[in-house]
Amino acid sequence: MSVATTSTSRGLLFGVLASLAFSTSGAFIKPLLESGWSPAAAVTLRAGIAAVVLLPIAVVSLRGRWAALWRARWRVLGMGLIGVAGTQLVYFASLQRIPVSTALLIEYLAPLLLVGYVWVTTRRAPRAVVIIGSVVAILGLVLVIGPGALGAAVDGLGLFFAALAAVGCAIYYVIAARPSDGLPPVAFAASGLLLGSVVLGVVGAVGLVPFEFASNSVALFGAEVAWWVPLVIVAVIGTAFAYVSSIAASEMLGSRLMSFVGLLEVVFASILAWILLGEALTLLQLLGGAAILAGIALVRSEKQADAPLEPGSVDELATGQIAVISPGPAPALARDTIADGDPAATVLTAPGATKP
């Protein structure tokens, strides 16, 4: 088995684990939102706690190579300002004007943006298998989220904010996929989350977005627990672990393929909502999940020798070729309650997820 094949297999494993981890946020953040928390407050603390959890590990991983963090300063700024904070802020703004399902559907069009980006920057049209895989995956996304998301929105500004969230999500994958240059994924995730949480906190403090907390106990899977219990769980699993895994996977797979793998988040979110929250899982959603898997398989099947290589992927480095590297989540969500964007919280009742 070649180095490229091995790294891609590992990348797919990390990508699936990241999508599964991001998908847990909806089930654990929803109780907080129902008890009076605003999405912005929940996601700010979520990112902040995750950063604190990762910082000791990040410091150890950077021992003797702090210069790597300085070299990656623009990448860190992009992750914190766009991948963590900016994407979620415009996603929140879209939720104030259009249905959650519509906002989710638009945001998760990010893979199509990346397919188009590679097409434009390399001036090489994607192979038919990639186009077919893209269509199949997006149709699956529509089935999982709900066909009602199509045409449900009428507010132009809301659609614009959702489109910005899609761009932010795409940029998140591009930033995550860029060569690490010696910066460990855990250090990159910790610094990006720390910066993003600070920015979100400032935005909330000045009143640009609703920022409300509640200290009362919350109902979690039939039991009353302290408010910090679900917050810590989602910070550790749905944020810290999810971001590190997502960044590692993006570096191995490249931005385009990882963005398609990220669609599994909505599938896992629907399954968890069914298991943990008792929300019905319909036949259409099951078919949609199968379609997303098929789309990912089709995109992955494109032969690297005949197609543009993914920016920053290990496959690219293993073959010794040079690909165009672009400048550059996510959001985790829940269904029909309200969610944030890729890396964030939710309040939806349609599948949600994170991330970005």
Side-chain angles (χ1 to χ4, degrees), residues 69-248:
L69 183 60
W70 175 249
R71 290 195 302 269
R73 58 191 181 280
W74 298 114
R75 190 173 174 227
V76 171
L77 281 173
M79 176 62 72
L81 297 180
I82 300 176
V84 176
T87 301
Q88 295 176 37
L89 288 174
V90 292
Y91 184 79
F92 292 148
S94 72
L95 292 181
Q96 296 176 349
R97 296 174 173 273
I98 61 177
V100 169
S101 58
T102 303
L104 279 177
L105 179 59
I106 294 175
E107 181 183 15
Y108 278 91
L109 293 178
L112 296 186
L113 296 181
L114 290 173
V115 169
Y117 175 80
V118 172
W119 188 347
V120 171
T121 56
T122 64
R123 297 182 181 180
R124 294 180 60 186
R127 296 183 63 197
V129 68
V130 172
I131 296 176
I132 295 173
S134 301
V135 172
V136 170
I138 296 303
L139 287 177
L141 178 65
V142 172
L143 292 178
V144 174
I145 292 179
L150 295 174
V154 294
D155 187 281
L157 188 56
L159 293 175
F160 174 71
F161 285 138
L164 287 181
V167 173
C169 187
I171 292 176
Y172 161 79
Y173 285 117
V174 171
I175 295 174
R178 296 194 66 173
S180 63
D181 194 17
L183 182 66
V186 65
F188 182 36
S191 53
L193 286 168
L194 181 60
L195 175 60
S197 64
V198 170
V199 172
L200 287 169
V202 171
V203 170
V206 299
L208 292 181
V209 295
F211 213 78
E212 300 172 354
F213 300 84
S215 59
N216 52 295
S217 59
V218 299
L220 184 66
F221 310 144
E224 289 291 321
V225 300
W227 61 269
W228 53 266
V229 173
L231 191 60
V232 169
I233 292 175
V234 79
V236 173
I237 298 176
T239 310
F241 174 79
Y243 267 94
V244 173
S245 300
S246 178
I247 290 169

Side-chain angles (χ1 to χ4, degrees), residues 22-34:
F22 275 132
S23 71
T24 63
S25 64
F28 289 98
I29 289 296
K30 184 176 180 178
L32 293 175
L33 302 176
E34 292 178 337

Side-chain angles (χ1 to χ4, degrees), residues 239-308:
T239 310
F241 174 79
Y243 267 94
V244 173
S245 300
S246 178
I247 290 169
S250 296
E251 291 181 358
M252 296 178 190
L253 300 178
S255 57
R256 186 179 63 184
L257 179 55
M258 182 55 200
S259 69
F260 279 94
V261 176
L263 295 178
L264 290 175
E265 184 180 339
V266 296
V267 179
F268 288 137
S270 297
I271 295 174
L272 289 176
W274 171 50
I275 296 174
L276 301 177
L277 304 179
E279 297 181 3
L281 191 61
T282 67
L283 177 60
L284 282 180
Q285 288 179 309
L286 292 174
L287 292 175
I292 290 176
L293 288 173
I296 293 172
L298 288 169
V299 173
R300 171 60 194 138
S301 69
E302 182 183 28
K303 293 181 180 179
Q304 295 295 332
D306 301 323

